[in-house]
Amino acid sequence: MADVRHCVTIADLRAIARRRLPEFAFVPMETGSGDGSGPGRNVAAFDRFPLTARALVDVREVRQQVEIFGRPYASPFGLSAVGYANNLRPFADQMLAEAAMEAKLPFMLSGGSTAAIEEIARIAPGHVWQQLYSAKDPAITARAIGRAADAGVEVLVHTVDSPVPPRNDWLARSGIALPAKIRWSAWPYVLWQAATHPRWSLGHLARGGLPRLESWTEYAPAGARAATIARLFQNQVPSVQTWDEVERIRRLWPGRLVIKGLVHAGDVRRARDCGADAVAVSNHGGNKLDVMPAAIDSLCALVGAGAPALPLFFDGGVRKGAHILIALALGARFAFAGRAPLYGVIAGGTAGALRAIDILKDEIGRTLALIGCPDAAGLDGGYLHCGAPMLPEEEKP
């Protein structure tokens, strides 16, 4: 395997991850719903927001540390939730948590994780944010909230943008729905891909096959296999919810509450009225609809509509440190990267995830210096080349 220390960009890590994974694992990770164009559109949209520079600024010391919800973090981004991450590399969730802990960043554990919240909270105490998908059975949702609180999680990220399952056209054609179902006609292709990617295959064979969704094992019959638990998860999530569910979760959850997946100003105001502490602007990494705007365009539209009712976090398409700074300049308080650290962990385990983080942090520091902004907290629309919505100082959240 290539040495991740020699990787210079996130694209370098992606190339290694691509070689390591069989096609049936890489393509669903890389593409979004429908025709799969959403993730690429998320990335490309950053090109519409070039940064401008201020000269003759003392940037001998550049600060990128931020404070969110009273906790200091080493940089203005965290590691976003990725479902079924351990299918891509054994113990990926645990490795991502280790990397976040070492880098002093938050790690958002997916509501569809193959690691239990209790284990991840032990690995990265004080650095875990729990993503929550409301289940069709309200008792499961209440239990998941209670488990997160008991594990010491301080931030719950209620993801609300998927009332029905999205469809990935590539997966629909292939007949593959890991780990629960593989159409008989797809087995020769699956076996060939597994045989030609031995590191991936042997890694899972050593563990007895694809991992179970440990976050959902508690709700399945004792001794249930991975496919049974996956079907339980898919039968419960997604579910159609309304604002009544947000209010119920607010009553149940004692800590900070972030609503993830909002792109409309009216919904942000409603989230504030329901007691949310922040909103994460997101199109689910391009996995919702292939006709939705890029996530950064939705952030721009929300800020352009007026003063946001709540602090805005951003999630979608981050592949460079400059992307994080563009989101901050547009009005976000914090950003999350999902695929970038995932490429790293697939390529090189915990060391690969840390390399992805280091690449983004180095790019952030270098970009801040080159645009003449010595502190990431000082970024605003004035650092964007043109056409950026700018809030008056008194209206900034």
Side-chain angles (χ1 to χ4, degrees), residues 93-279:
D93 284 324
Q94 292 88 335
M95 293 171 178
L96 289 166
E98 289 171 354
M101 184 68 180
E102 183 171 337
K104 298 180 174 58
L105 299 175
F107 169 56
M108 188 190 304
L109 181 66
S110 171
S113 66
T114 44
I117 180 58
E118 293 82 2
E119 179 183 7
I120 298 302
R122 286 193 297 270
I123 292 172
H127 288 263
V128 181
W129 296 20
Q130 174 66 67
Q131 183 195 38
L132 174 75
Y133 292 114
S134 287
K136 292 175 183 175
D137 183 347
I140 292 178
T141 303
R143 175 59 184 149
I145 292 171
R147 288 174 62 187
D150 291 344
V153 173
E154 298 174 356
V155 182
L156 188 73
V157 184
H158 185 203
T159 300
V160 299
D161 60 352
S162 296
V164 297
R167 188 189 73 183
N168 181 293
D169 293 350
W170 188 92
L171 279 176
R173 294 188 187 99
S174 72
I176 300 170
L178 291 174
K181 183 179 179 181
I182 300 175
R183 197 165 54 204
W184 282 109
S185 60
W187 270 108
Y189 162 75
V190 169
L191 293 173
W192 169 250
Q193 283 289 311
T196 54
H197 295 81
R199 287 194 184 94
W200 182 87
S201 303
L202 292 173
H204 285 298
L205 284 174
R207 297 185 62 198
L210 292 175
R212 303 192 306 173
L213 284 167
E214 295 297 340
S215 55
W216 280 77
T217 301
E218 178 177 323
Y219 318 119
R225 298 172 64 87
T228 301
I229 299 169
R231 281 192 290 269
L232 168 67
F233 173 67
Q234 292 162 359
N235 287 336
Q236 287 289 329
V237 174
S239 63
V240 176
Q241 304 293 335
T242 68
W243 288 103
D244 290 342
E245 176 70 355
V246 177
E247 293 173 350
R248 183 176 82 96
I249 288 170
R250 178 68 283 183
R251 290 192 299 270
L252 291 171
W253 176 247
R256 300 285 191 170
L257 178 63
V258 179
I259 308 300
K260 183 174 185 287
L262 301 186
V263 295
H264 191 281
D267 288 341
V268 176
R269 290 190 291 271
R270 187 71 181 270
R272 174 202 58 195
D273 296 341
C274 288
D277 296 288
V279 161

Side-chain angles (χ1 to χ4, degrees), residues 269-345:
R269 290 190 291 271
R270 187 71 181 270
R272 174 202 58 195
D273 296 341
C274 288
D277 296 288
V279 161
V281 181
S282 165
N283 61 11
H284 218 105
N287 290 312
K288 183 174 181 179
L289 274 175
D290 55 11
V291 295
M292 283 191 72
I296 198 68
D297 289 327
S298 293
L299 173 65
C300 183
L302 277 175
V303 176
L310 287 171
L312 301 179
F313 300 155
F314 173 78
D315 190 339
V318 170
R319 303 293 188 275
K320 297 180 179 180
H323 293 165
I324 294 166
L325 299 183
I326 289 168
L328 267 58
L330 281 168
R333 288 279 304 280
F334 199 68
F336 281 89
R339 286 181 176 88
L342 186 63
Y343 295 148
V345 82

Side-chain angles (χ1 to χ4, degrees), residues 24-50:
F24 61 76
F26 181 81
V27 172
M29 174 193 75
E30 190 69 357
T31 60
S33 63
D35 63 14
S37 62
R41 189 163 59 252
N42 273 352
V43 178
F46 285 102
D47 291 342
R48 293 197 288 273
F49 300 96

